[in-house]
Amino acid sequence: MKEYRVKPDGQLNLDTCDPDDTGEYKKTDQGKEKAKAITVSVDRRLEELQERLYANGNRAVLIVLQGWIPAVRTGRSRA
């Protein structure tokens, strides 16, 4: 995950990010299951950290998550 972090006072240019990047998780059923399991764990940890930040009231975190839903699944077509 370190390659995805932006350092304090760093710049982020989304044009340089590959939207098809899946990191270490391959686009297979096994890779998807691994990603889902880790997502649950990370979600719990983020929830704990967010609660601490809220309680302290002096810090902020921005987390950018990108998801993709195929047009076929949403019933929309690309025109």
Side-chain angles (χ1 to χ4, degrees):
M1 293 299 291
K2 289 183 181 180
E3 66 268 18
Y4 301 111
R5 291 184 184 158
V6 179
K7 295 179 181 177
D9 299 322
Q11 296 289 320
L12 174 63
N13 181 355
L14 292 177
D15 290 336
T16 63
C17 299
D18 179 5
D20 200 35
D21 181 18
T22 59
E24 64 183 82
Y25 308 104
K26 304 302 175 204
K27 292 182 178 182
T28 63
D29 288 341
Q30 191 176 29
K32 290 176 184 178
E33 289 304 315
K34 180 180 177 185
K36 285 180 185 178
I38 290 176
T39 299
V40 170
S41 173
V42 169
D43 185 52
R44 287 184 188 134
R45 181 70 176 137
L46 286 173
E47 186 178 325
E48 292 170 11
L49 294 173
Q50 191 277 336
E51 189 64 32
R52 285 186 189 176
L53 289 171
Y54 178 79
N56 288 338
N58 61 358
R59 303 274 187 212
V61 173
L62 172 64
I63 299 172
V64 179
L65 303 174
Q66 179 179 354
W68 179 74
I69 300 173
V72 174
R73 291 181 61 195
T74 62
R76 293 186 228 151
S77 62
R78 290 183 168 189

